[in-house]
């Protein structure tokens, strides 16, 4: 029997591939095989024909997870069962076809019942992963399974994915799965469906060591690649029929307004869409519309001059038809009559088509296209069994985008576990609604449970819904503290996301967030490196670091944003009574500071601090840990993404802290080899005992960072100081900002090859909490009867937190025009906002 397969020189073996398990930790029978990959990760195979899979699959590329390191494993017999024991797992198996009675694994340290997996059991306590798309979603959708479970175990079934095998180890009438051939990176491979009658499962039994489960998943399936720096800035996107002049005019307006955008996303109207009826729909297209873009190369060059990188939308389903500019060349290369008008079918299982397809894209890239937005929406079937066209598009486009030393990048939907190898993710067209916004922080954080960290949402929502300016401002805030910040909207003339389309104070709030995102680039790029090199996500659900605390599971819309910050986007409308909106927040034990205002929150209890936090339209809840250090780009008004000459460093006092900022030369190493990248590190340390901040000299490859740098050190949440020493000499330029409780120390341009020490010889105390100021502000804004707010303010000023119970009993009687008496009470929203101020420390 011949098994259909796909082979093409563009499809090469993945970097880091090592498909063979370590024989020292493999136990096998005639039809079963068990491989212990780590002390918590086990591979389970059953094969009716007695052959086992030793090639890479679409999902799994490295089965030597421990890379030759020893595993503490014991194998023995007990009651006619095979028992495999590690420090983390107890596996028992009857050596028969897999069954719930005959195969079970207990995760040590977990509850005996829920922490034991029997073959075929559903994962009831799974904390979920992500989904293929949010297309059309108006709120929550069903998510797929992740690797993280409160029961301590999860299972990935890899039985149906295709396998990747070197051409030398393929035979015409089947799969030679026992050759042991381990191809090298770049070797041409064939993708083939698996034979029937084989099961291939991966059991993750990590208990509550959630981050370790994801790190080992990356070792098994490949790491998340490093993103280019520009991808972390703001993206402008809109489904709109722009002309070249209109689009460039819009970019000029952004520049004039000081609104930074690093990435230009041009939706489908770049190509011909009004086509003759005989060719079908205009969704698929590869020919620039000459009426809108008479000079595509000149248009793209002007965007590049503005510091922007460009991606074009493609819907490839309908192939290439006779009206396309690329048709004749493509037809000739495929042996199709170029004068016959026959459509060239989209078929990723046809190597000739794939060759011609990418040659067509290369011609467009020669004009200035930087990467592609792959907008596949037509299901998961190809002519090859089990081969998802979305996965194939992601895989091939990502490989192709790395040719000729380019920095690889794709923009497409999620195609199952392992899709993190092809960033960035496009989550799809959502409805403009509070329900959609409310779901997205949870959706983004939960995706990390399956290792998918670089989602890009339609910030502001894409379609339908109702205009709500407050909603848009809150969505901008989510975007700023998301993996990728891409504004997007439909073609409706009323749905543009330009800030000047909105009234104050929403407009200013939007501008603030776009500029904030640009300032965050040094921090975000360092987190990008941390993700690629160490397998640590930018976005982590709160329970990753605090798995034994129930409070961490009760804040699904709150997450860690890198190593220094916690974000809790507001997804509710403003309460008119208090003119603020709330978010539910849990702060782990320790001291935390509001990122924007420097207000301190003391979570003294072991259980941390749970409360509602209230923010006006111009802010959102973001918290930095005591000792946190966040490097920021000083100039946020332009599209510059190079290693900056001027940096602001936010330092949050109260504890020791250290942050190593990573920068590189912007050149991608072949195969994504991070060790071959030209990078430099700058370590910034704060010592609380001596009240000293030290900026280390740049280490690594010379020439990466500027020779001189301007530093502005901002100690947020600190009390005013009287004496500062810079490299041992008295410094007179210190200022203080009462609004953000910040000591500012702007330094002259200093060599990056020398250490800088800034000391406060009289100490750096924490700022006094401006309780009275903040209470007055809340009372001032409260939309309640003046006598009632006066009584509340007086009680709080005299009694502080002890006045809280009495606030709920306060009443005020008034008489209306008919003489009827009405009794008013303080609204709960007002009391809750006041409570936040009173209990934060």
């Amino acid at each position: 029997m011949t098994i259909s397969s796909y082979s093409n020189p563009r499809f090469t073996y993945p970097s880091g591939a090592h498909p063979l398990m370590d024989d020292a930790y493999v136990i096998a029978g005639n039809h079963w095989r068990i491989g212990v990959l780590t002390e918590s990760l086990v591979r389970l195979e059953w094969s009716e024909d007695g052959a086992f899979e030793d090639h890479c699959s679409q999902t799994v590329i490295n089965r030597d997870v421990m890379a030759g390191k020893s595993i503490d494993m014991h194998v023995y017999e007990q009651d006619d069962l095979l028992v495999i024991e590690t420090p983390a797992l107890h596996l028992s198996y009857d050596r028969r076809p897999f069954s719930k009675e005959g195969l079970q694994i207990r995760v040590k340290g977990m509850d005996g019942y829920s922490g034991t997996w029997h073959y075929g059991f559903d994962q009831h306590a799974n904390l979920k992963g992500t989904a293929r798309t949010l297309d059309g979603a108006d709120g929550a959708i069903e998510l797929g399974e992740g690797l993280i479970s409160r029961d301590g175990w999860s299972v990935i079934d890899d039985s149906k994915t295709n396998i990747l095998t070197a051409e030398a180890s393929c035979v015409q009438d089947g799969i030679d799965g026992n050759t042991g051939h381990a191809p090298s990176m770049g070797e041409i491979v064939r993708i083939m469906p698996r034979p029937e009658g084989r099961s291939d499962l991966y059991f993750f039994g990590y208990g509550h060591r959630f981050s370790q489960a994801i790190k080992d998943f990356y070792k098994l399936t490949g790491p998340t690649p490093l993103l280019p720096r520009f991808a972390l800035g703001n993206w402008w996107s809109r489904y709109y029929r722009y002309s070249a002049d209109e689009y460039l005019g819009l970019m000029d307006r952004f520049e004039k307004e000081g609104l930074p955008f690093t990435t230009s996303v041009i939706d489908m109207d770049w190509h011909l869409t009004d086509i003759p009826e005989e060719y079908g729909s205009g969704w698929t297209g590869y020919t620039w519309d000459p009426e809108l873009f008479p000079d595509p190369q000149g248009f793209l060059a002007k965007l590049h001059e503005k510091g922007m990188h460009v991606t074009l939308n493609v819907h490839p389903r309908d192939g290439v038809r006779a009206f396309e500019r690329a048709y004749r060349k493509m037809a000739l290369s495929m042996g199709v009559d170029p004068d016959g008008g026959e459509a060239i079918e989209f078929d990723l299982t046809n190597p000739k088509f794939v060759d011609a397809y990418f040659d067509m894209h290369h011609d467009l890239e020669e004009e200035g296209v930087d990467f592609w937005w792959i907008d596949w929406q037509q299901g998961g079937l190809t002519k090859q069994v089990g081969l998802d066209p979305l996965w194939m598009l992601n895989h091939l486009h990502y490989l192709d985008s790395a040719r000729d030393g380019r920095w690889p990048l794709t923009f497409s939907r999620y195609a199952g576990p392992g899709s993190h190898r092809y960033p960035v993710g496009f989550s799809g067209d959502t409805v403009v609604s509070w329900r959609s916004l409310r779901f997205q922080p949870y959706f983004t954080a939960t995706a990390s449970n399956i290792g998918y960290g670089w989602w890009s949402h339609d910030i502001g929502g894409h379609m339908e819904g109702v205009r709500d300016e407050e909603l848009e401002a809150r969505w901008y805030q989510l975007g700023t503290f998301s993996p990728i910040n891409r504004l997007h909207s439909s073609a409706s003339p009323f749905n543009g996301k330009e800030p000047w389309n909105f009234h104050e104070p929403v407009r200013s709030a939007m501008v603030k967030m776009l500029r904030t995102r640009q300032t965050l680039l040094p921090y975000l790029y360092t987190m990008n490196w941390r993700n690629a090199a160490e397998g640590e996500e930018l976005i982590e659900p709160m329970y990753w670091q605090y798995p034994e605390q129930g409070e961490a599971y009760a804040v699904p819309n709150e997450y860690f944003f890198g190593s220094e910050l916690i974000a809790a986007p507001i997804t509710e409308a403003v309460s008119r009574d208090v003119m603020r909106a709330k978010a539910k927040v849990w702060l782990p034990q320790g001291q935390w500071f509001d990122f924007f205002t420097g207000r301190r929150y003391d979570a003294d209890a072991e259980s941390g601090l749970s409360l509602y936090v209230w923010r006006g339209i111009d802010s959102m809840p973001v918290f930095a840990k005591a000792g946190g250090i966040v490097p920021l780009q000083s100039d946020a008004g332009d599209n510059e993404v190079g290693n900056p000459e001027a940096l602001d460093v936010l330092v949050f006092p109260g504890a020791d802290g250290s942050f190593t900022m990573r920068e590189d030369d912007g050149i991608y190493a072949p195969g994504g080899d991070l060790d071959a990248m030209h990078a430099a590190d700058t370590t910034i340390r704060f010592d609380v005992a001596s009240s000293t901040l030290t900026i280390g000299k740049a280490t690594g490859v010379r020439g990466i960072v500027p020779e001189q740098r301007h530093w502005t050190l901002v100690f947020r949440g600190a009390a005013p100081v009287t004496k500062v020493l810079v490299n041992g000499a008295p410094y007179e330029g210190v200022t203080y900002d009462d609004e953000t409780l910040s000591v500012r120390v702007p330094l002259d341009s200093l060599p990056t090859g020398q250490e800088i020490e800034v000391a406060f010889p009289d100490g750096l105390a924490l700022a006094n909490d401006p309780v009275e100021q903040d209470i007055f502000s809340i009372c001032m804004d409260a939309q309640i009867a003046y006598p009632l707010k006066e009584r509340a303010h007086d009680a709080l000023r005299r009694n502080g937190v002890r006045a809280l119970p009495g606030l709920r009993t306060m009443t005020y009687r008034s008489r209306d025009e008919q003489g009827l008496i009405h009794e008013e009470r303080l609204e709960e929203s007002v009391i809750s906002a006041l409570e936040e101020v009173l209990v934060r420390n």
Side-chain angles (χ1 to χ4, degrees), residues 295-369:
D295 179 16
Q297 192 164 351
F299 167 68
L300 296 173
K302 289 178 180 178
L303 289 176
H304 290 153
E305 289 171 7
K306 294 179 180 295
M308 304 184 76
H309 292 72
V310 185
T311 181
L312 302 185
N313 174 280
V314 288
H315 293 90
R317 176 189 177 275
D318 290 335
V320 180
R321 293 159 290 178
F323 68 86
E324 300 279 12
R325 187 181 68 174
Y327 178 78
R328 172 168 288 274
K329 177 182 177 182
M330 197 169 188
L332 289 171
S333 69
M334 292 190 64
V336 174
D337 180 3
D339 299 315
E342 175 188 352
I344 298 173
E345 179 187 6
F346 175 81
D347 182 6
L348 290 178
T349 66
N350 181 346
K352 286 187 176 181
F353 171 79
V354 173
D355 279 341
Y357 173 84
F358 280 105
D359 286 345
M360 174 178 63
H361 284 77
H362 295 169
D363 290 341
L364 290 164
E365 289 170 23
E366 287 296 315
E367 296 178 339
V369 180

Side-chain angles (χ1 to χ4, degrees), residues 203-219:
F203 177 86
F204 288 74
Y206 284 81
H208 288 169
R209 295 178 294 122
F210 297 152
S211 60
Q212 188 60 51
I214 298 300
K215 288 180 180 181
D216 285 350
F217 173 70
Y218 283 150
K219 292 177 183 177

Side-chain angles (χ1 to χ4, degrees), residues 402-442:
R403 75 187 191 284
D404 301 330
R406 301 172 184 230
W407 198 305
L409 187 66
T410 49
F411 180 40
S412 185
R413 288 174 172 82
Y414 176 78
S419 291
H420 61 270
R421 299 195 300 259
Y422 319 113
V424 166
F426 164 51
S427 70
D429 301 335
T430 51
V431 172
V432 180
S433 71
W434 284 100
R435 289 183 296 273
S436 292
L437 173 62
R438 199 170 297 126
F439 182 61
Q440 284 189 6
Y442 165 76

Side-chain angles (χ1 to χ4, degrees), residues 115-251:
T116 299
W117 170 77
H118 294 260
Y119 174 77
F121 267 26
D122 292 330
Q123 303 176 51
H124 296 297
N126 193 283
L127 291 165
K128 298 300 179 181
T130 193
R132 189 178 180 103
T133 180
L134 291 176
D135 275 340
D138 186 7
I141 66 166
E142 184 66 29
L143 300 181
E145 302 294 315
L147 297 173
I148 307 302
S149 168
R150 296 190 77 169
D151 284 342
W153 58 265
S154 61
V155 177
I156 287 183
D157 187 346
D158 199 40
S159 307
K160 301 299 182 183
T161 64
N162 280 219
I163 59 171
L164 317 181
T165 178
E167 289 193 323
S169 65
C170 295
V171 291
Q172 186 63 32
D173 60 348
I175 303 173
D176 178 7
N178 298 303
T179 63
H181 182 66
S184 58
M185 186 189 77
E187 184 171 346
I188 299 172
V189 299
R190 182 171 294 176
I191 181 166
M192 307 179 72
R194 300 196 192 206
E196 296 292 326
R198 295 185 187 178
S199 294
D200 192 358
L201 309 178
Y202 293 84
F203 177 86
F204 288 74
Y206 284 81
H208 288 169
R209 295 178 294 122
F210 297 152
S211 60
Q212 188 60 51
I214 298 300
K215 288 180 180 181
D216 285 350
F217 173 70
Y218 283 150
K219 292 177 183 177
L220 181 72
T221 60
T224 301
L226 192 68
L227 296 184
R229 194 178 181 102
F230 75 82
L232 302 176
N234 298 308
W235 297 28
W236 176 258
S237 176
R238 189 180 181 191
Y239 173 39
Y240 191 79
R241 193 172 169 80
Y242 288 109
S243 70
D245 289 343
E246 287 174 324
Y247 198 92
L248 291 171
L250 177 61
M251 298 304 110

Side-chain angles (χ1 to χ4, degrees), residues 364-379:
L364 290 164
E365 289 170 23
E366 287 296 315
E367 296 178 339
V369 180
D370 295 298
F371 64 107
W372 295 96
W373 174 8
I374 307 157
D375 205 350
W376 180 264
Q377 304 173 48
Q378 286 79 30

Side-chain angles (χ1 to χ4, degrees), residues 761-812:
D762 295 334
L764 184 65
L766 299 180
N768 291 326
D769 189 17
V771 174
E772 290 194 15
Q773 173 186 329
D774 292 349
I775 285 175
F776 184 86
S777 177
I778 292 170
C779 290
M780 172 65 79
D781 291 343
Q783 308 291 293
I784 57 177
Y786 285 109
L788 195 54
K789 72 166 66 180
E790 289 163 3
R791 288 174 56 195
H793 179 257
D794 183 63
L796 290 165
R797 186 173 54 82
R798 288 185 289 107
N799 300 314
V801 69
R802 289 173 296 184
L804 278 174
L807 296 184
R808 291 181 170 85
T809 68
M810 284 186 182
T811 60
Y812 170 68

Side-chain angles (χ1 to χ4, degrees), residues 522-692:
Y523 177 72
L524 289 168
Y525 197 65
T526 300
M527 295 300 105
N528 177 29
W529 262 95
R530 187 182 75 145
N531 182 211
E534 302 172 29
E536 297 190 34
E537 300 288 353
L538 170 67
I539 305 284
E540 290 184 3
M542 296 302 293
Y543 48 77
W544 274 31
Q545 293 190 29
Y546 298 92
E548 308 308 329
Q549 294 197 237
E551 295 86 354
Y553 299 87
V555 282
N557 277 14
E558 180 183 344
Y559 47 83
F560 283 96
F561 189 69
S563 61
E564 312 297 291
L565 301 175
I566 287 175
I570 288 175
T571 59
E572 307 287 342
V574 158
S575 169
R576 186 180 181 278
D577 298 310
V578 73
M579 298 303 290
R580 290 160 171 78
K582 72 178 187 295
K584 184 180 179 181
V585 166
W586 173 68
L587 297 174
Q589 187 176 28
Q591 284 188 329
W592 299 86
F593 295 83
D594 184 289
F595 177 76
F596 296 104
T597 70
R599 270 58 174 172
R600 187 175 78 256
Y601 292 72
D602 290 338
D604 296 327
E606 186 177 345
S607 60
L609 177 64
S610 296
L611 74 168
Y612 285 110
V613 299
W614 297 79
R615 298 292 182 268
I617 195 65
D618 65 337
S619 190
M620 68 172 283
V622 179
F623 302 93
K625 63 183 181 181
I629 298 173
V630 182
L632 302 174
Q633 190 166 298
S634 296
D635 187 359
D638 58 37
N639 303 341
E640 179 58 44
V641 296
N643 300 328
E645 293 185 357
L647 284 168
D648 294 349
V649 178
L650 292 189
V651 183
F652 297 88
D656 292 343
S658 179
F659 187 90
T660 299
M661 181 173 63
R662 171 64 60 89
E663 299 168 282
D664 59 45
D665 61 358
I667 299 174
Y668 198 73
D673 182 1
L674 298 182
D675 292 334
M677 296 280 287
H678 295 165
D681 289 343
T682 303
T683 298
I684 307 167
R685 292 187 176 90
F686 179 70
D687 181 72
V688 70
S690 63
S691 296
T692 300

